[in-house]
Amino acid sequence: MVSALGLRQRSVAFDGPRTRGDAVFEVLLDAIVKVDLKPGDALAKDAIARELGVSRTPVGDAINRLGALGLVSVVPQVGSFVSRISPQAVVESSFLRSAVESEIVHRLASTGNRTLVDKLRERLAEQAGFVAAADVDSFHASDDDFHRFMITEAGIPGIWDQIATARLNLVRIRRLGLPQPGRLADAHAEHTRVVDEIEARRPRGAARAITEHIRYAEIYLQQLERENPNFFV
């Protein structure tokens, strides 16, 4: 199963300033959040080490880091597994992100910063291209950049890392919900509404728009639970 995922191809290189543990962590994180490694899947250290051409030590380090993020569960004397998703954790993550980012866009909409709006419009144009091409991976990378950029522009870039666990919970739900017909276009439209409200200097409207965008995951959470009960706890 590990070989079938092509884990080695997910990493640009195992040399350079990053440690091997960092590289293995990035490879496994990518596979988990994209749900190529599904909730409940076993993580065999020997198989992963063999696939990536590393020893067991960096694999163990990476699994421990993923465990700290809540993405891997380690069962003593049994093994390591991709964590199943807690619906309650998803709701809490959605609430946390919407609370943080609604304050972010409220702040941005209060400034009337033309340069900021132009840069956001550039990102929307890029996303439109990914929607047209049905390029899910590129769209979601651009989605992350869109949200991270607003947080940075609000003057508190460290918040992005502080809400890491909340982001990752929602990414897995978002990935499980694909392909949903029209969802990429809907997400792009929601981003556009946020930017429209920022440009019009309507802080409350911007906050409301980003909240509805982020909390969309809660709408289809129950559907996903019914369709994939083994993925949830």
Side-chain angles (χ1 to χ4, degrees):
M1 177 179 174
V2 172
S3 296
L5 291 173
L7 293 180
R8 179 72 188 187
Q9 285 66 49
R10 291 174 183 267
S11 180
V12 292
F14 280 80
D15 301 317
R18 297 179 305 166
T19 67
R20 291 197 167 212
D22 289 337
V24 174
F25 170 79
E26 291 168 11
V27 167
L28 292 179
L29 176 64
D30 183 70
I32 290 172
V33 298
K34 290 181 179 177
V35 203
D36 293 325
L37 282 170
K38 294 177 171 53
D41 280 354
L43 297 174
K45 292 182 182 179
D46 287 338
I48 294 170
R50 191 162 50 247
E51 169 70 8
L52 296 179
V54 299
S55 70
R56 283 171 52 96
T57 299
V59 175
D61 291 343
I63 285 175
N64 288 338
R65 289 175 63 185
L66 291 165
L69 289 173
L71 294 176
V72 168
S73 300
V74 179
V75 182
Q77 310 304 318
V78 177
S80 301
F81 303 86
V82 178
S83 296
R84 288 183 168 85
I85 300 170
S86 162
Q88 181 63 27
V90 171
V91 172
E92 291 172 356
S93 294
S94 178
F95 180 86
L96 175 61
R97 269 201 72 179
S98 63
V100 170
E101 295 196 41
S102 63
E103 177 62 28
I104 294 293
V105 298
H106 189 285
R107 179 179 300 187
L108 296 179
S110 301
T111 65
N113 187 327
R114 184 68 247 174
T115 301
L116 165 71
V117 172
D118 289 343
K119 290 181 178 178
L120 288 171
R121 294 288 182 198
E122 290 174 4
R123 285 164 169 78
L124 291 177
E126 177 185 61
Q127 289 175 12
F130 297 142
V131 172
D135 187 341
V136 174
D137 286 345
S138 294
F139 180 87
H140 286 307
S142 181
D143 186 333
D144 277 351
D145 174 68
F146 178 81
H147 288 269
R148 183 172 55 245
F149 174 73
M150 290 193 293
I151 289 173
T152 299
E153 288 298 301
I156 43 177
I159 289 293
W160 184 252
D161 290 331
Q162 291 184 37
I163 60 172
T165 301
R167 287 191 292 106
L168 295 174
N169 277 333
L170 295 179
V171 169
R172 288 212 289 171
I173 286 295
R174 183 173 65 187
R175 286 285 179 163
L176 280 174
L178 291 170
Q180 282 196 345
R183 180 54 201 156
L184 290 187
D186 287 347
H188 179 259
E190 290 161 10
H191 288 167
T192 301
R193 183 183 164 206
V194 171
V195 177
D196 288 346
E197 295 295 319
I198 291 174
E199 183 173 26
R201 300 190 67 175
R202 292 192 289 259
R204 290 183 181 178
R208 184 166 54 252
I210 199 74
T211 295
E212 292 173 358
H213 168 60
I214 291 171
R215 302 196 74 168
Y216 177 84
E218 297 176 43
I219 295 175
Y220 59 84
L221 177 59
Q222 291 183 348
Q223 175 187 338
L224 293 175
E225 287 184 82
R226 290 193 299 271
E227 293 174 349
N228 303 284
N230 292 334
F231 292 170
F232 294 86
V233 293

